[in-house]
Amino acid sequence: MLLGTALVLLLLGSAAPASAHAALRGTDPGDKSVVESAPRHITLTFTESVGLLEDSFRVYGPDNRRVHLGEPRHADGASDTARTELPGDLADGTYTVAWRVVSADSHPVSGAFTFSIGAPSPTPPAAPAAPAEHPVTASLYDTGRYLAYIAAALLIGTAAFVGLCRPPDTAPLRLPLLTGWWTLVAATVVLLVLRAPYETGAAPGTAFDTSAAARTLTGRPGLALLARLALLLLAAAVLLRLSRLSRRRAPDDRTPPAHLAVGATLAVALALTWAVAEHASAGIQVPVAMTSSVLHLLATACWLGGLTALLLTLYRAQNPPPAATVARFSRLAFASVTVLVVTGVYQSWRGLGSWTALTDSPYGRTLTVKLLATVFLLLAAGLSRRWTTLLVTRAMAPATVEARVMVGARVPEPVGAAGSTPRTGFERPATTGPREPDTGANPDSRANPDTGTDPEPSHWRRALRRSVLAEVAVAVVVLLITTVLTGTLPARAEAEAAEAPRPQVAGLPGASAFTVPYDIGTPGGRGTVQITMDPGRVGENGLQAVVFGADGGLVTVPELRLSFTLAARDIGPIDAQVTDRGGYWATHDLNLPLDGTWTMKVTVRVSELDQVSETRKVRITR
């Protein structure tokens, strides 16, 4: 209980906003692009499917007033897009678009960008400062997620320990079963209530808004939480029924296969309520990923929850568990670790995408820490398995030793008398009665070939307790790192967003947008040049360029030059001859004669003395 209390306090104190897992791949119109005519739609494209909210888009015009929009929807039925209609009477100037969606793995993601019609405004409108998520709502929701993971491991692991390892005394395990069930129910209810404000970034007080609640209950995360509640109610009824039936069986009887099948079905169904709303539900190989996620969660629960059950049995059972129970758990833990390794390798590959992402991305670095912690956990598990092997060996040794003594001495010994109970290696050493002579017949006083002495059974029992306790402590750390990992953008999605194709600019079919950063090295000498080419193909092209400062605002420069060189064909440099159009630079007669990868050179002069040139590779096609 002390360990559980400390874990809860740690979780409450360390709850932090989760990183969303849907990365923005592109926008139409492009960010900071300048279009000739007003677009009909605003379209966003993401790296995975997203859910839409009533307020997914907010657009502010050059006068800082909010623009009336159509209902958000998916573009052409594609679930990885978000689109809204714009009115047809938009004035020239710069528009700010603020957006918010919910990724397929249930995390909200938001952002903003600007585009201009005709020419940029002298002062772009700023969207009202709205937090990406409410800190109280996010902390409560993340804490609920962490507790749900812990409670599921405790509930499923304890039930698996009872059914598969068959400890004679199950009284100490009623508390973890009830604690796991009630905690999981409470956490699920909290997550369901807070789902709407979590998606919209609102305060917890808005959780009881009728329209928001209805939207939550019909979305995939909400349906998964409702299914989890229904399964927990069914699990309670099944556990009560099975507990009554188990009282009629002898302690050594095997658990009926039908009971194990019912329990396994419920456990798989519970694990699915996480898989359908987390990483596995989006990205590549979704069916395989969901299967792997379910197996990973169940193996974690059997290992870590079973560890907790074993620890409680070792400390609180009236009679120490027999060696057979500990040996069964050792086999269960070994199987769980095997499943964890296989599924963990697959999930790591799926989330990383490349080996370099292990060190180059937040997801990879967090995964590396988890892998190191898992190595320590495996070392502790190996130590526990060693003590288990010694205990089982000693449990089988007394009968052999007694037989040898009876044959060699031909004198009946009390320890080998008919009706006596063999030692299991878990019994506490006797504190009363006459001391037996050190003849080797007593298994607790047999000489060790290496040390000359053999510790008492209590020594092995204490060693097993310590190793299991260490295993549980390291497992808590691994579980905490895992919850952080589920809130981190996978490296594969991050790379896909970075390698996304150049955005197509609305109103200019086939147009491409480029952003070229520059730094002169003087105060205020940093910024970017947003360049739009129409159509970006062989022949005549139109070109527009807008200069932005380090703060994202428009910057007026005395001179801007662009030239293009095709080194492979020894062509160029071709001067684009852009002219100042009052806030932006443009030309309509840039002629690029051949296809290939051209080098675009951008020269920005900010004063009479200060200028800098930057280059960018540009692919020109036919």
Side-chain angles (χ1 to χ4, degrees):
M1 292 302 293
L2 181 60
L3 179 62
T5 303
L7 177 58
V8 171
L9 291 177
L10 177 60
L11 290 173
L12 290 173
S14 62
S19 303
H21 300 156
L24 182 64
R25 187 190 296 273
T27 66
D28 182 10
D31 185 20
K32 298 180 181 179
S33 64
V34 180
V35 298
E36 293 182 347
S37 59
R40 297 179 56 188
H41 307 94
I42 293 175
T43 305
L44 309 179
T45 305
F46 298 89
T47 57
E48 65 180 46
S49 59
V50 295
L52 304 179
L53 307 172
E54 293 180 357
D55 200 26
S56 279
F57 289 93
R58 291 177 295 146
V59 179
Y60 299 87
D63 56 358
N64 278 316
R65 293 185 179 181
R66 187 166 179 177
V67 178
H68 179 72
L69 303 172
E71 189 76 14
R73 68 179 190 275
H74 295 296
D76 302 324
S79 61
D80 61 347
T81 63
R83 171 176 287 181
T84 186
E85 288 189 22
L86 292 171
D89 56 350
L90 293 180
D92 287 356
T94 301
Y95 290 78
T96 296
V97 180
W99 53 268
R100 185 179 184 90
V101 296
V102 181
S103 61
D105 52 14
S106 78
H107 297 283
V109 55
S110 59
F113 68 96
T114 63
F115 71 94
S116 301
I117 301 175
S121 302
T123 304
E133 54 189 14
H134 194 280
V136 176
T137 302
S139 296
L140 291 175
Y141 193 87
D142 290 340
T143 301
R145 288 176 56 242
Y146 300 155
L147 291 178
Y149 275 115
I150 295 171
L154 189 61
L155 176 62
I156 297 175
T158 304
F161 183 79
V162 172
L164 298 175
C165 302
R166 306 194 301 274
D169 185 6
T170 59
L173 303 181
R174 294 173 186 169
L175 179 61
L177 272 177
L178 291 175
T179 302
W181 189 88
W182 280 108
T183 303
L184 188 53
V185 168
T188 304
V189 171
V190 169
L191 292 175
L192 193 59
V193 171
L194 292 177
R195 186 65 206 175
Y198 177 69
E199 290 180 351
T200 58
T206 62
F208 300 100
D209 179 70
T210 306
S211 60
R215 184 182 67 251
T216 298
L217 295 178
T218 55
R220 181 162 58 176
L223 292 175
L225 293 172
L226 287 175
R228 189 180 302 168
L229 280 177
L231 288 170
L232 286 172
L233 295 176
L234 180 60
V238 170
L239 287 175
L240 287 175
R241 175 62 177 169
L242 293 182
S243 65
R244 293 193 183 111
L245 293 176
S246 63
R247 295 171 187 170
R248 306 173 186 174
R249 302 197 316 267
D252 295 334
D253 288 350
R254 289 181 175 271
T255 305
H259 295 181
L260 294 177
V262 171
T265 302
L266 284 174
V268 170
L270 275 174
L272 275 172
T273 63
W274 273 275
V276 298
E278 294 292 345
H279 280 291
S281 62
I284 62 173
Q285 302 177 353
V286 171
V288 178
M290 290 186 64
T291 302
S292 174
S293 179
V294 168
L295 293 175
H296 198 82
L297 180 58
L298 293 179
T300 302
C302 288
W303 186 15
L304 305 187
L307 268 178
T308 305
L310 176 61
L311 193 63
L312 289 173
T313 303
L314 288 171
Y315 274 95
R316 297 193 173 183
Q318 291 183 355
N319 296 314
T325 296
V326 183
R328 292 184 195 112
F329 176 73
S330 181
R331 291 191 293 269
L332 174 64
F334 181 79
S336 299
V337 169
T338 303
V339 174
L340 284 173
V341 169
V342 174
T343 57
V345 168
Y346 169 75
Q347 292 178 1
S348 299
W349 166 83
R350 185 173 180 267
L352 283 173
S354 66
W355 287 109
T356 57
L358 271 174
T359 56
D360 296 343
S361 67
Y363 182 90
R365 288 188 289 270
T366 306
L367 180 62
T368 302
V369 174
K370 179 185 176 181
L371 292 176
L372 292 176
T374 303
V375 170
F376 285 106
L377 184 57
L378 292 174
L379 292 176
L383 190 61
S384 297
R385 191 171 179 85
R386 176 175 178 270
W387 296 128
T388 301
T389 303
L390 290 172
L391 284 165
V392 173
T393 303
R394 288 184 56 78
M396 300 170 61
T400 304
V401 173
E402 290 157 13
R404 291 176 179 174
V405 170
M406 291 177 65
V407 171
R410 301 185 182 274
V411 177
E413 296 288 341
V415 70
S420 63
T421 304
R423 302 286 295 273
T424 66
F426 284 91
E427 291 82 351
R428 296 177 175 83
T431 57
T432 60
R435 182 180 180 88
E436 294 183 3
D438 189 9
T439 63
N442 188 349
D444 294 342
S445 58
R446 290 186 298 115
N448 188 298
D450 298 328
T451 63
T453 60
D454 195 16
E456 294 290 320
S458 59
H459 168 79
W460 307 112
R461 187 168 59 250
R462 287 193 301 269
L464 179 61
R465 287 176 178 175
R466 287 193 296 267
S467 63
V468 171
L469 184 59
E471 202 173 343
V472 171
V474 180
V476 168
V477 176
V478 173
L479 195 58
L480 288 174
I481 298 173
T482 301
T483 54
V484 174
L485 195 63
T486 61
T488 306
L489 177 66
R492 184 184 293 272
E494 186 178 359
E496 288 177 357
E499 298 173 0
R502 298 173 300 193
Q504 298 295 308
V505 181
L508 301 176
S512 300
F514 308 93
T515 299
V516 180
Y518 68 89
D519 187 356
I520 295 179
T522 60
R526 293 188 302 109
T528 57
V529 181
Q530 174 71 49
I531 300 170
T532 304
M533 291 185 64
D534 172 26
R537 297 180 180 178
V538 171
E540 189 172 285
N541 286 267
L543 189 147
Q544 297 174 337
V546 184
V547 183
F548 295 91
D551 58 354
L554 290 175
V555 174
T556 302
V557 296
E559 185 179 10
L560 179 70
R561 297 193 305 272
L562 286 91
S563 63
F564 293 81
T565 302
L566 184 60
R569 301 292 185 90
D570 198 22
I571 299 177
I574 299 176
D575 189 356
Q577 298 182 350
V578 294
T579 58
D580 189 357
R581 304 294 179 88
Y584 70 102
W585 300 72
T587 184
H588 294 290
D589 54 3
L590 171 63
N591 195 335
L592 300 177
L594 298 174
D595 62 333
T597 302
W598 291 69
T599 300
M600 178 176 63
K601 181 179 179 180
V602 182
T603 301
V604 183
R605 182 166 64 86
V606 298
S607 68
E608 292 296 331
L609 300 176
D610 298 319
Q611 73 175 32
V612 67
S613 296
E614 303 288 348
T615 59
R616 168 75 182 268
K617 298 294 184 181
V618 178
R619 178 66 182 172
I620 301 298
T621 59
R622 291 190 177 276

